[in-house]
PDB file of all heavy atoms in Angstrom:
ATOM      1  N   ARG A 220     113.096  87.606  89.445  1.00  0.00           N
ATOM      2  CA  ARG A 220     112.598  88.899  89.929  1.00  0.00           C
ATOM      3  C   ARG A 220     111.081  88.976  89.731  1.00  0.00           C
ATOM      4  O   ARG A 220     110.518  88.265  88.896  1.00  0.00           O
ATOM      5  CB  ARG A 220     113.223  90.070  89.155  1.00  0.00           C
ATOM      6  CG  ARG A 220     114.711  90.250  89.378  1.00  0.00           C
ATOM      7  CD  ARG A 220     115.038  90.724  90.797  1.00  0.00           C
ATOM      8  NE  ARG A 220     116.456  90.826  91.000  1.00  0.00           N
ATOM      9  CZ  ARG A 220     117.263  89.817  91.332  1.00  0.00           C
ATOM     10  NH1 ARG A 220     116.763  88.614  91.537  1.00  0.00           N
ATOM     11  NH2 ARG A 220     118.554  89.997  91.508  1.00  0.00           N
ATOM     12  N   VAL A 221     110.437  89.876  90.502  1.00  0.00           N
ATOM     13  CA  VAL A 221     108.990  90.072  90.369  1.00  0.00           C
ATOM     14  C   VAL A 221     108.754  91.219  89.389  1.00  0.00           C
ATOM     15  O   VAL A 221     109.514  92.192  89.397  1.00  0.00           O
ATOM     16  CB  VAL A 221     108.360  90.506  91.718  1.00  0.00           C
ATOM     17  CG1 VAL A 221     106.857  90.310  91.692  1.00  0.00           C
ATOM     18  CG2 VAL A 221     108.980  89.783  92.874  1.00  0.00           C
ATOM     19  N   LYS A 222     107.700  91.091  88.548  1.00  0.00           N
ATOM     20  CA  LYS A 222     107.357  92.193  87.644  1.00  0.00           C
ATOM     21  C   LYS A 222     106.602  93.242  88.447  1.00  0.00           C
ATOM     22  O   LYS A 222     105.570  92.930  89.042  1.00  0.00           O
ATOM     23  CB  LYS A 222     106.457  91.673  86.515  1.00  0.00           C
ATOM     24  CG  LYS A 222     107.179  91.609  85.200  1.00  0.00           C
ATOM     25  CD  LYS A 222     106.200  91.343  84.099  1.00  0.00           C
ATOM     26  CE  LYS A 222     106.932  90.885  82.869  1.00  0.00           C
ATOM     27  NZ  LYS A 222     106.075  90.250  81.912  1.00  0.00           N
ATOM     28  N   VAL A 223     107.114  94.459  88.494  1.00  0.00           N
ATOM     29  CA  VAL A 223     106.421  95.526  89.234  1.00  0.00           C
ATOM     30  C   VAL A 223     105.440  96.190  88.275  1.00  0.00           C
ATOM     31  O   VAL A 223     105.842  96.789  87.281  1.00  0.00           O
ATOM     32  CB  VAL A 223     107.430  96.558  89.792  1.00  0.00           C
ATOM     33  CG1 VAL A 223     106.725  97.614  90.611  1.00  0.00           C
ATOM     34  CG2 VAL A 223     108.482  95.855  90.634  1.00  0.00           C
ATOM     35  N   ILE A 224     104.134  96.009  88.562  1.00  0.00           N
ATOM     36  CA  ILE A 224     103.118  96.550  87.656  1.00  0.00           C
ATOM     37  C   ILE A 224     102.508  97.825  88.241  1.00  0.00           C
ATOM     38  O   ILE A 224     102.429  98.844  87.581  1.00  0.00           O
ATOM     39  CB  ILE A 224     102.019  95.492  87.379  1.00  0.00           C
ATOM     40  CG1 ILE A 224     102.684  94.257  86.749  1.00  0.00           C
ATOM     41  CG2 ILE A 224     100.954  96.052  86.438  1.00  0.00           C
ATOM     42  CD1 ILE A 224     101.836  93.026  86.772  1.00  0.00           C
ATOM     43  N   SER A 225     102.100  97.757  89.509  1.00  0.00           N
ATOM     44  CA  SER A 225     101.407  98.908  90.103  1.00  0.00           C
ATOM     45  C   SER A 225     102.387  99.749  90.920  1.00  0.00           C
ATOM     46  O   SER A 225     103.495  99.316  91.209  1.00  0.00           O
ATOM     47  CB  SER A 225     100.289  98.399  91.020  1.00  0.00           C
ATOM     48  OG  SER A 225     100.853  97.553  91.994  1.00  0.00           O
ATOM     49  N   ASP A 226     101.926 100.979  91.291  1.00  0.00           N
ATOM     50  CA  ASP A 226     102.784 101.793  92.156  1.00  0.00           C
ATOM     51  C   ASP A 226     102.145 101.945  93.535  1.00  0.00           C
ATOM     52  O   ASP A 226     102.413 102.892  94.255  1.00  0.00           O
ATOM     53  CB  ASP A 226     103.084 103.153  91.510  1.00  0.00           C
ATOM     54  CG  ASP A 226     101.802 103.894  91.166  1.00  0.00           C
ATOM     55  OD1 ASP A 226     100.726 103.303  91.387  1.00  0.00           O
ATOM     56  OD2 ASP A 226     101.872 105.031  90.687  1.00  0.00           O
ATOM     57  N   ASP A 227     101.273 100.965  93.886  1.00  0.00           N
ATOM     58  CA  ASP A 227     100.678 100.984  95.227  1.00  0.00           C
ATOM     59  C   ASP A 227     101.626 100.282  96.212  1.00  0.00           C
ATOM     60  O   ASP A 227     102.779 100.022  95.897  1.00  0.00           O
ATOM     61  CB  ASP A 227      99.289 100.299  95.195  1.00  0.00           C
ATOM     62  CG  ASP A 227      99.369  98.885  94.644  1.00  0.00           C
ATOM     63  OD1 ASP A 227     100.497  98.410  94.425  1.00  0.00           O
ATOM     64  OD2 ASP A 227      98.313  98.275  94.420  1.00  0.00           O
ATOM     65  N   GLU A 228     101.099  99.951  97.415  1.00  0.00           N
ATOM     66  CA  GLU A 228     101.928  99.358  98.458  1.00  0.00           C
ATOM     67  C   GLU A 228     102.529  98.032  97.985  1.00  0.00           C
ATOM     68  O   GLU A 228     103.690  97.728  98.259  1.00  0.00           O
ATOM     69  CB  GLU A 228     101.107  99.112  99.741  1.00  0.00           C
ATOM     70  CG  GLU A 228     100.848 100.345 100.574  1.00  0.00           C
ATOM     71  CD  GLU A 228      99.662 101.154 100.074  1.00  0.00           C
ATOM     72  OE1 GLU A 228      99.152 100.872  98.971  1.00  0.00           O
ATOM     73  OE2 GLU A 228      99.251 102.088 100.780  1.00  0.00           O
ATOM     74  N   VAL A 229     101.697  97.222  97.266  1.00  0.00           N
ATOM     75  CA  VAL A 229     102.193  95.914  96.799  1.00  0.00           C
ATOM     76  C   VAL A 229     103.295  96.137  95.755  1.00  0.00           C
ATOM     77  O   VAL A 229     104.310  95.426  95.753  1.00  0.00           O
ATOM     78  CB  VAL A 229     101.033  95.067  96.214  1.00  0.00           C
ATOM     79  CG1 VAL A 229     101.535  93.724  95.730  1.00  0.00           C
ATOM     80  CG2 VAL A 229      99.952  94.860  97.260  1.00  0.00           C
ATOM     81  N   GLY A 230     103.099  97.159  94.894  1.00  0.00           N
ATOM     82  CA  GLY A 230     104.115  97.494  93.895  1.00  0.00           C
ATOM     83  C   GLY A 230     105.419  97.898  94.575  1.00  0.00           C
ATOM     84  O   GLY A 230     106.501  97.476  94.167  1.00  0.00           O
ATOM     85  N   LEU A 231     105.270  98.710  95.650  1.00  0.00           N
ATOM     86  CA  LEU A 231     106.446  99.162  96.397  1.00  0.00           C
ATOM     87  C   LEU A 231     107.149  97.975  97.054  1.00  0.00           C
ATOM     88  O   LEU A 231     108.380  97.869  97.036  1.00  0.00           O
ATOM     89  CB  LEU A 231     106.004 100.176  97.462  1.00  0.00           C
ATOM     90  CG  LEU A 231     107.124 100.962  98.138  1.00  0.00           C
ATOM     91  CD1 LEU A 231     107.800 101.892  97.147  1.00  0.00           C
ATOM     92  CD2 LEU A 231     106.568 101.756  99.306  1.00  0.00           C
ATOM     93  N   LEU A 232     106.311  97.066  97.607  1.00  0.00           N
ATOM     94  CA  LEU A 232     106.870  95.864  98.246  1.00  0.00           C
ATOM     95  C   LEU A 232     107.649  95.048  97.213  1.00  0.00           C
ATOM     96  O   LEU A 232     108.765  94.584  97.474  1.00  0.00           O
ATOM     97  CB  LEU A 232     105.725  95.028  98.845  1.00  0.00           C
ATOM     98  CG  LEU A 232     106.122  93.723  99.512  1.00  0.00           C
ATOM     99  CD1 LEU A 232     106.910  93.990 100.789  1.00  0.00           C
ATOM    100  CD2 LEU A 232     104.894  92.893  99.858  1.00  0.00           C
ATOM    101  N   SER A 233     107.063  94.888  95.996  1.00  0.00           N
ATOM    102  CA  SER A 233     107.727  94.120  94.935  1.00  0.00           C
ATOM    103  C   SER A 233     109.042  94.782  94.553  1.00  0.00           C
ATOM    104  O   SER A 233     110.053  94.107  94.371  1.00  0.00           O
ATOM    105  CB  SER A 233     106.837  94.042  93.693  1.00  0.00           C
ATOM    106  OG  SER A 233     105.592  93.559  94.039  1.00  0.00           O
ATOM    107  N   LYS A 234     109.011  96.136  94.444  1.00  0.00           N
ATOM    108  CA  LYS A 234     110.229  96.862  94.053  1.00  0.00           C
ATOM    109  C   LYS A 234     111.307  96.672  95.123  1.00  0.00           C
ATOM    110  O   LYS A 234     112.453  96.355  94.809  1.00  0.00           O
ATOM    111  CB  LYS A 234     109.900  98.352  93.884  1.00  0.00           C
ATOM    112  CG  LYS A 234     110.968  99.106  93.166  1.00  0.00           C
ATOM    113  CD  LYS A 234     110.734 100.607  93.220  1.00  0.00           C
ATOM    114  CE  LYS A 234     112.018 101.370  93.100  1.00  0.00           C
ATOM    115  NZ  LYS A 234     112.978 101.198  94.159  1.00  0.00           N
ATOM    116  N   ASN A 235     110.902  96.836  96.393  1.00  0.00           N
ATOM    117  CA  ASN A 235     111.865  96.658  97.489  1.00  0.00           C
ATOM    118  C   ASN A 235     112.396  95.231  97.517  1.00  0.00           C
ATOM    119  O   ASN A 235     113.566  94.999  97.786  1.00  0.00           O
ATOM    120  CB  ASN A 235     111.218  96.985  98.842  1.00  0.00           C
ATOM    121  CG  ASN A 235     110.987  98.473  98.981  1.00  0.00           C
ATOM    122  OD1 ASN A 235     111.474  99.244  98.171  1.00  0.00           O
ATOM    123  ND2 ASN A 235     110.217  98.875  99.969  1.00  0.00           N
ATOM    124  N   PHE A 236     111.476  94.287  97.221  1.00  0.00           N
ATOM    125  CA  PHE A 236     111.889  92.880  97.207  1.00  0.00           C
ATOM    126  C   PHE A 236     112.938  92.659  96.116  1.00  0.00           C
ATOM    127  O   PHE A 236     113.957  92.013  96.343  1.00  0.00           O
ATOM    128  CB  PHE A 236     110.669  91.983  96.960  1.00  0.00           C
ATOM    129  CG  PHE A 236     111.035  90.540  96.852  1.00  0.00           C
ATOM    130  CD1 PHE A 236     111.244  89.766  97.973  1.00  0.00           C
ATOM    131  CD2 PHE A 236     111.209  89.962  95.605  1.00  0.00           C
ATOM    132  CE1 PHE A 236     111.619  88.453  97.856  1.00  0.00           C
ATOM    133  CE2 PHE A 236     111.579  88.643  95.481  1.00  0.00           C
ATOM    134  CZ  PHE A 236     111.784  87.886  96.605  1.00  0.00           C
ATOM    135  N   ASN A 237     112.696  93.260  94.928  1.00  0.00           N
ATOM    136  CA  ASN A 237     113.660  93.127  93.821  1.00  0.00           C
ATOM    137  C   ASN A 237     115.004  93.738  94.206  1.00  0.00           C
ATOM    138  O   ASN A 237     116.047  93.160  93.913  1.00  0.00           O
ATOM    139  CB  ASN A 237     113.118  93.809  92.561  1.00  0.00           C
ATOM    140  CG  ASN A 237     112.058  92.956  91.898  1.00  0.00           C
ATOM    141  OD1 ASN A 237     111.914  91.779  92.207  1.00  0.00           O
ATOM    142  ND2 ASN A 237     111.312  93.535  90.989  1.00  0.00           N
ATOM    143  N   ASP A 238     114.939  94.928  94.880  1.00  0.00           N
ATOM    144  CA  ASP A 238     116.187  95.566  95.320  1.00  0.00           C
ATOM    145  C   ASP A 238     116.941  94.646  96.277  1.00  0.00           C
ATOM    146  O   ASP A 238     118.155  94.475  96.178  1.00  0.00           O
ATOM    147  CB  ASP A 238     115.888  96.908  96.025  1.00  0.00           C
ATOM    148  CG  ASP A 238     115.348  97.932  95.040  1.00  0.00           C
ATOM    149  OD1 ASP A 238     115.443  97.689  93.829  1.00  0.00           O
ATOM    150  OD2 ASP A 238     114.815  98.971  95.495  1.00  0.00           O
TER     151      ASP A 238
END
Side-chain angles (χ1 to χ4, degrees):
R220 293 291 177 276
V221 197
K222 252 190 196 163
V223 183
I224 301 164
S225 57
D226 56 357
D227 56 7
E228 283 83 350
V229 180
L231 192 67
L232 178 68
S233 307
K234 194 190 154 296
N235 288 350
F236 177 81
N237 283 346
D238 292 347

